[in-house]
């Protein structure tokens, strides 16, 4: 036994002084399932694939992320509870789908003039960090981001509020409230049904972020864009608390280090995608972009004030500081826009 011990000691010494590196056993690779609900080409899934690539690279392959776009693992409305229950390790949620559950963070979807997706994404994250809403107590937040602001795409020009009266436009969520306040006839339908509805004249346009002008070829039918920049939709990427707790500390550090970076990257990507879509629409289909003067913008914003006032009232009835939350968002917009 002593001879065997001596042999191994000598072997170790030879390895040390001869420059031979001892063989080490690598820790077992961590494998995580990431669920998303929109189709793979859409921006929530583009950011998912970017995050996957960066995490795998920055952990030197110690973490493997398996992505599931298009609702193949969890659907949009099942995402939050599915992640909490461990059906997926990570999931991407659109908070607008459950306005009563995510009251604080959904305040960013009020008509508060968030100018672009990058600003909105960072404002959303700032708001979450300040208030730490209880809705997220059972998960770990990995990042947050928003869509680009919604604007009007129409077959006929919309330059005045009067042009909207009785106009059939597709919209959903907070955007629907805004159209109704402007006097338009809001029509609810899945985005997948919108191209046919436009072709058949069931609707005369839609109210959404402008990447769809190119992605869904709406520029072929909607020859006018009216820039209103009024409402965004907030998203969050969340992780199962148990799965998070099992991660090595160095992996947690990598993921924590990407929270704001990923929010900023996604916002920039979305803004560039919208810019490219507008440029393509103008060049390929001669789409006209109508921009409101500051005076007209104020006129269009006036009917929207009750939406925010009602949100504040409902939030305060729930015991939340509704007025302060709205004030914070406005201040954060100024802060993030100035950077």
């Amino acid at each position: 036994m002593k001879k065997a011990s001596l042999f191994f000691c000598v072997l170790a010494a030879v390895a040390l002084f001869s420059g031979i590196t001892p063989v080490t056993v690598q820790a077992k690779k961590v494998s995580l399932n990431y669920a998303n609900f929109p189709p793979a080409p859409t921006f929530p899934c583009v950011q998912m694939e970017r995050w996957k690539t960066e995490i795998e690279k920055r952990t030197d392959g110690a973490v493997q992320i398996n992505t599931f776009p298009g609702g193949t693992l969890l659907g949009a409305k099942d995402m939050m509870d599915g992640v909490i229950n461990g059906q997926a390790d990570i999931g991407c949620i659109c908070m607008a789908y459950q306005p009563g559950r995510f009251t604080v963070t959904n305040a960013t979807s009020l008509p508060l003039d968030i100018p672009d997706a990058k600003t909105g994404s960072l404002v959303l994250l700032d708001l979450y960090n300040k208030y730490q809403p209880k809705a997220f107590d059972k998960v770990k937040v990995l990042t947050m981001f928003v869509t680009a602001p919604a604007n009007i795409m129409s077959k006929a020009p919309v330059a005045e509020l009067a042009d909207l009266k009785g106009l059939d436009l597709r919209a959903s969520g907070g955007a629907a409230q805004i159209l109704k306040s402007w006097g338009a006839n809001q029509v609810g339908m899945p985005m997948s049904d919108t191209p046919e509805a436009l072709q058949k004249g069931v609707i005369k346009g839609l109210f959404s972020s402008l990447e769809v002008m190119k992605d869904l070829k709406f520029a072929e039918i909607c020859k006018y864009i009216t820039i209103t920049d009024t409402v965004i939709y907030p998203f969050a990427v969340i992780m199962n608390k148990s799965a998070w707790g099992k991660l090595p500390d160095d992996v947690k550090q990598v993921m924590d280090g990407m929270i704001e970076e990923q929010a900023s990257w996604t916002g920039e990507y979305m803004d560039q995608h919208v810019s490219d879509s507008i440029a393509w629409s103008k060049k390929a289909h001669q789409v006209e972009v109508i921009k409101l003067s500051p005076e007209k913008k104020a006129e269009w914003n006036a009917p929207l004030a009750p939406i925010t006032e009602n949100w504040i009232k409902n939030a305060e009835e729930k015991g939340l500081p509704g007025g302060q939350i709205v004030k914070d968002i406005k201040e954060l917009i100024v802060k993030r826009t100035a950077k």
Side-chain angles (χ1 to χ4, degrees):
M1 188 71 179
K2 289 182 178 179
K3 289 183 178 179
S5 298
L6 180 61
F7 171 77
F8 285 117
C9 287
V10 172
L11 186 63
V14 170
L16 178 65
F17 288 105
S18 63
I20 299 172
T21 304
V23 176
T24 57
V25 179
Q26 287 188 339
K28 185 179 178 182
K29 179 180 285 189
V30 176
S31 181
L32 300 170
N33 291 338
Y34 186 153
N36 217 329
F37 61 90
T42 59
F43 90 100
C45 291
V46 171
Q47 72 79 32
M48 172 176 71
E49 295 299 333
R50 186 263 178 181
W51 188 85
K52 160 193 164 75
T53 299
E54 289 299 317
I55 290 296
E56 291 178 348
K57 181 173 71 175
R58 297 182 194 193
T59 60
D60 295 322
V63 177
Q64 175 183 314
I65 309 293
N66 309 305
T67 55
F68 297 85
T72 50
L73 184 56
L74 285 170
K77 293 185 178 179
D78 300 323
M79 192 67 69
M80 185 70 173
D81 291 324
V83 170
I84 290 172
N85 296 330
Q87 292 170 262
D89 300 303
I90 302 168
C92 179
I93 60 171
C94 179
M95 291 171 266
Y97 290 165
Q98 295 178 293
R101 186 172 192 172
F102 303 105
T103 304
V104 174
T105 44
N106 267 321
T108 54
S109 65
L110 292 168
L112 299 174
D113 287 333
I114 289 176
D116 52 61
K118 182 180 179 181
T119 300
S121 297
L122 295 173
V123 166
L124 172 62
L125 192 58
D126 288 342
L127 191 73
Y128 165 78
N129 286 332
K130 176 174 180 177
Y131 286 96
Q132 297 287 311
K134 291 183 179 179
F136 295 95
D137 281 353
K138 295 182 180 180
V139 294
K140 163 67 178 177
V141 171
L142 296 177
T143 196
M144 289 187 170
F145 54 87
V146 306
T147 63
N151 293 288
I152 297 169
M153 294 155 266
S154 55
K155 293 181 176 182
V158 176
E160 308 285 344
L161 272 179
D163 298 330
L164 281 172
K165 299 300 181 186
L167 191 65
D168 296 326
L169 297 175
R170 182 266 176 197
S172 61
Q177 294 183 61
I178 289 170
L179 282 186
K180 290 175 183 176
S181 297
W182 283 336
N185 181 26
Q186 180 265 331
V187 180
M189 67 176 64
M191 187 64 84
S192 56
D193 294 344
T194 304
E196 184 178 356
L198 280 167
Q199 289 169 355
K200 291 183 176 180
V202 175
I203 55 175
K204 305 300 182 184
L206 65 153
F207 189 47
S208 179
S209 50
L210 295 173
E211 80 282 357
V212 295
M213 286 291 279
K214 183 177 182 180
D215 291 355
L216 298 179
K217 304 296 187 288
F218 287 151
E220 295 175 0
I221 304 173
C222 297
K223 298 300 181 181
Y224 299 91
I225 292 171
T226 304
I227 302 296
T228 62
D229 287 346
T230 41
V231 63
I232 53 84
Y233 292 98
F235 288 72
V237 178
I238 42 103
M239 185 171 183
N240 176 273
K241 270 282 184 73
S242 177
W244 171 257
K246 293 175 183 176
L247 292 177
D249 288 343
D250 57 342
V251 172
K252 289 180 180 178
Q253 188 175 359
V254 169
M255 290 185 178
D256 277 339
M258 281 192 64
I259 293 174
E260 182 168 329
E261 175 192 326
Q262 185 71 6
S264 180
W265 183 93
T266 305
E268 286 181 357
Y269 169 83
M270 186 61 171
D271 292 330
Q272 185 59 53
H273 192 37
V274 166
S275 179
D276 292 344
S277 178
I278 294 172
W280 175 85
S281 299
K282 291 166 71 174
K283 183 176 181 180
H285 295 282
Q286 294 72 54
V287 169
E288 180 182 340
V289 178
I290 299 168
K291 296 182 179 180
L292 303 177
S293 66
E295 293 77 19
K296 280 190 179 179
K297 187 72 166 68
E299 180 189 347
W300 285 51
N301 282 346
L304 307 181
I307 296 175
T308 301
E309 290 166 5
N310 289 337
W311 183 91
I312 291 172
K313 180 182 176 183
N314 291 334
E316 290 178 346
E317 286 174 355
K318 294 179 181 179
L320 295 168
Q324 184 61 48
I325 290 171
V326 168
K327 183 172 182 255
D328 286 341
I329 292 172
K330 291 178 178 178
E331 291 176 353
L332 288 168
I333 291 170
V334 173
K335 173 187 169 186
R336 285 296 186 176
T337 304
K339 285 187 175 181

